[in-house]
Amino acid sequence: MALKTFRPITPSLRFTELNGFEELTRGKPLKKLTEARRKTGGRNNRGRLTSRHIGGGHKQRYRFIDFKRNKHGVKAVVESIEYDPMRTAHIALLKYADGEQRYIIAPVGLVVGSSISSGPDAEPIIGNALPLDRIPLGAAIHNIEIIPGRGAQIGRTAGSSATVMSVDGDYAQVRLPSGEIRKIFKTCYATIGQVGNIEHENISLGKAGRSRWMGRRPHVRGMVMNPVDHPMGGGQGKSKGGGGRQHPVSPWGQPSKGLKTRPKYKPSNKFIVERRNKK
């Protein structure tokens, strides 16, 4: 996939780089596999603001994605590669031999007409889903389960991939996209290949308006607020962190740089073989 650039006939177009969408199939999504996404404006069921800087944006429909891949032994053909406004990766529409249709995350190399399947006896080729102990060591994988049968939770964003390092006993050691090496049950399923739309990280929106189309409102710095609105507000002139030299914090006083938020005694710590921060 190549990014699309523009002639700089306006200031915003000078730095704009957007997805070219050459590999996508024209047409609308399968309506029975979608539902309307209702806007929240960042508010919870009591009408209180719980997520700031959210509001507006274009209408979107959520696509139901098959993260479980539990139709074992049934062949499927890729009918289309489609855009999904709710995620960074593209999606592929599958039609199974029994007539059922499902969406999956589209990996690199998957094209219209490709035949894929899932199950312990499936071939280890692009798009097929297998248990971790049936995947060749060193193979790139995505859509990785953590708990057998729950569905994929790791490696779902555009361009991400993990690697099977080894299989020992009941666990497989997997190097995650963050660099962390983690033990995962060998019966958990994963999909062969790297998630598509690799160039997504290089997209440049070019103007503030395009962020508003995505439902993102302006993010105001605490330093330019008044003391009543933020712990870092106020001070004479442009002062770092209000009147004094406080550490950067959230509006509610939580340190925002360097504070470790992971619980010290998290139960899943025993499954981490090597952390991503090798300090």
Side-chain angles (χ1 to χ4, degrees):
M1 183 207 74
L3 294 183
K4 184 167 61 174
T5 57
F6 302 85
R7 286 175 49 226
I9 55 178
T10 64
S12 63
L13 288 179
R14 182 176 298 278
F15 302 107
T16 300
E17 288 188 68
L18 300 177
N19 200 323
F21 300 120
E22 299 96 344
E23 70 276 19
L24 300 189
T25 308
R26 290 185 177 274
K28 293 184 177 180
L30 195 64
K31 194 164 185 180
K32 66 180 181 181
L33 293 179
T34 68
E35 71 174 9
R37 183 201 184 195
R38 305 302 177 192
K39 300 289 185 180
T40 65
R43 288 159 176 81
N44 63 8
N45 61 344
R46 301 175 69 182
R48 294 182 177 177
L49 196 67
T50 53
S51 292
R52 301 183 301 155
H53 322 301
I54 293 176
H58 201 285
K59 284 186 178 180
Q60 296 170 320
R61 291 190 69 84
Y62 178 76
R63 276 75 163 163
F64 296 108
I65 309 296
D66 177 20
F67 287 116
K68 293 189 176 182
R69 299 293 298 274
N70 51 11
K71 287 183 75 72
H72 298 166
V74 183
K75 291 279 187 180
V77 176
V78 178
E79 285 197 320
S80 62
I81 307 292
E82 301 179 13
Y83 171 75
D84 188 342
M86 304 288 291
R87 64 185 72 249
T88 59
H90 295 323
I91 57 177
L93 179 62
L94 306 184
K95 185 168 186 179
Y96 287 89
D98 59 4
E100 186 177 356
Q101 292 173 298
R102 294 186 183 184
Y103 278 122
I104 65 167
I105 300 291
V108 176
L110 195 71
V111 296
V112 175
S114 298
S115 179
I116 63 176
S117 63
S118 62
D121 299 324
E123 287 185 79
I125 58 175
I126 299 294
N128 282 4
L130 298 86
L132 289 172
D133 61 344
R134 297 297 184 96
I135 295 176
L137 300 184
I141 57 173
H142 65 282
N143 271 8
I144 308 160
E145 287 185 328
I146 300 178
I147 297 175
R150 176 177 285 186
Q153 294 178 268
I154 298 176
R156 309 190 328 189
T157 190
S160 67
S161 69
T163 308
V164 181
M165 307 292 291
S166 64
V167 178
D168 186 21
D170 293 332
Y171 297 94
Q173 289 193 15
V174 180
R175 184 184 294 279
L176 303 181
S178 64
E180 176 179 294
I181 298 178
R182 186 185 183 96
K183 290 195 292 186
I184 302 176
F185 290 111
K186 67 180 182 181
T187 54
C188 287
Y189 270 69
T191 306
I192 306 291
Q194 179 183 9
V195 181
N197 198 17
I198 298 175
E199 291 290 333
H200 174 80
E201 64 178 354
N202 297 323
I203 286 177
S204 174
L205 299 183
K207 60 182 181 180
R210 189 165 277 111
S211 279
R212 298 303 296 264
W213 300 343
M214 295 179 177
R216 302 176 191 154
R217 299 190 68 243
H219 189 125
V220 181
R221 292 174 296 138
M223 199 180 79
V224 299
M225 297 183 188
N226 294 320
V228 69
D229 299 317
H230 201 281
M232 291 159 56
Q236 297 299 313
K238 187 176 181 181
S239 62
K240 291 287 183 183
R245 285 288 294 164
Q246 299 97 326
H247 284 292
V249 291
S250 72
W252 305 275
Q254 170 104 318
S256 56
K257 291 185 179 180
L259 179 71
K260 287 180 167 41
T261 55
R262 182 182 173 89
K264 188 175 181 181
Y265 299 106
K266 196 174 178 71
S268 62
N269 281 349
K270 61 185 178 182
F271 297 111
I272 298 175
V273 178
E274 185 177 309
R275 291 198 177 275
R276 58 181 177 175
N277 299 322
K278 304 175 181 62
K279 294 182 181 178

